[in-house]
Amino acid sequence: MEIGTWIDLGILIVAIVAAAFSFREIQSNNVAERNKLLSQLNKRYLNSNDIQAVVKYLRQNAPSDVKPSPYQIDMFLRFFEELGVYLKKKTLVPSDVKNFFHYYLERFYTTNRGRLLRDSINNEELYWPYLNDYKSILPIDMKL
């Protein structure tokens, strides 16, 4: 083989290694961005008095006796709508969303207390497209 062929082969190998390294860096950055977004969403979920009013009402152990207002129910559901957007665009991993947030949305749809909340907003959330996207990606387990 000529020296020029060896040089071309060397350049090709360096290019392949650089491409693999770049791909790995991009994946690492994507994971970091997803984790950052998940952390921000979790912080908002935990610090929102409106969302937490619904969560406390739906708790299985020592639930709150204060029924959330329709506005608080809307804010709770709008949070899941936003998650639906992120899930549909594959910005978040469904298993992460399920582990962090899904339990109380399931309780909203599977418990008597959830039914009372749905009735108080006339089940209007059934027509929200992004919430329906969320539920199509992470279906509600009706066996809770």
Side-chain angles (χ1 to χ4, degrees):
M1 252 201 261
E2 290 184 32
I3 189 92
T5 305
W6 284 107
I7 291 172
D8 290 343
L9 183 61
I11 291 171
L12 177 63
I13 291 170
V14 169
I16 290 171
V17 169
F21 181 75
S22 295
F23 180 73
R24 189 172 143 179
E25 282 298 309
I26 289 169
Q27 283 186 316
S28 177
N29 287 339
N30 288 343
V31 168
E33 287 298 315
R34 276 195 304 271
N35 289 341
K36 181 179 175 184
L37 176 59
L38 195 60
S39 177
Q40 290 169 344
L41 289 165
N42 190 49
K43 189 174 190 177
R44 198 169 89 224
Y45 181 82
L46 294 173
N47 292 331
S48 168
N49 292 330
D50 296 320
I51 294 171
Q52 287 303 305
V54 175
V55 167
K56 289 174 184 176
Y57 184 78
L58 292 173
R59 276 192 309 222
Q60 187 171 3
N61 297 321
S64 170
D65 290 329
V66 179
K67 186 177 176 187
S69 70
Y71 175 80
Q72 290 171 319
I73 298 165
D74 278 355
M75 292 301 97
F76 172 79
L77 292 170
R78 296 288 178 194
F79 179 81
F80 286 94
E81 264 205 316
E82 183 178 349
L83 290 175
V85 171
Y86 291 130
L87 288 168
K88 188 172 183 179
K89 293 184 177 191
K90 298 183 181 188
T91 306
L92 291 174
V93 177
S95 61
D96 290 342
V97 172
K98 184 172 186 174
N99 290 333
F100 273 82
F101 308 112
H102 192 71
Y103 178 76
Y104 285 103
L105 186 64
E106 279 191 330
R107 290 195 57 79
F108 182 81
Y109 284 105
T110 60
T111 64
N112 287 332
R113 283 180 162 241
R115 182 184 46 77
L116 293 172
L117 297 181
R118 292 191 315 275
D119 289 349
S120 71
I121 60 167
N122 299 317
N123 289 82
E124 66 184 36
E125 90 291 349
L126 294 175
Y127 307 103
W128 296 359
Y130 298 119
L131 185 59
N132 288 325
D133 288 341
Y134 176 99
K135 292 187 293 186
S136 71
I137 295 167
L138 288 172
I140 303 299
D141 182 0
M142 299 307 274
K143 298 175 196 157
L144 267 184

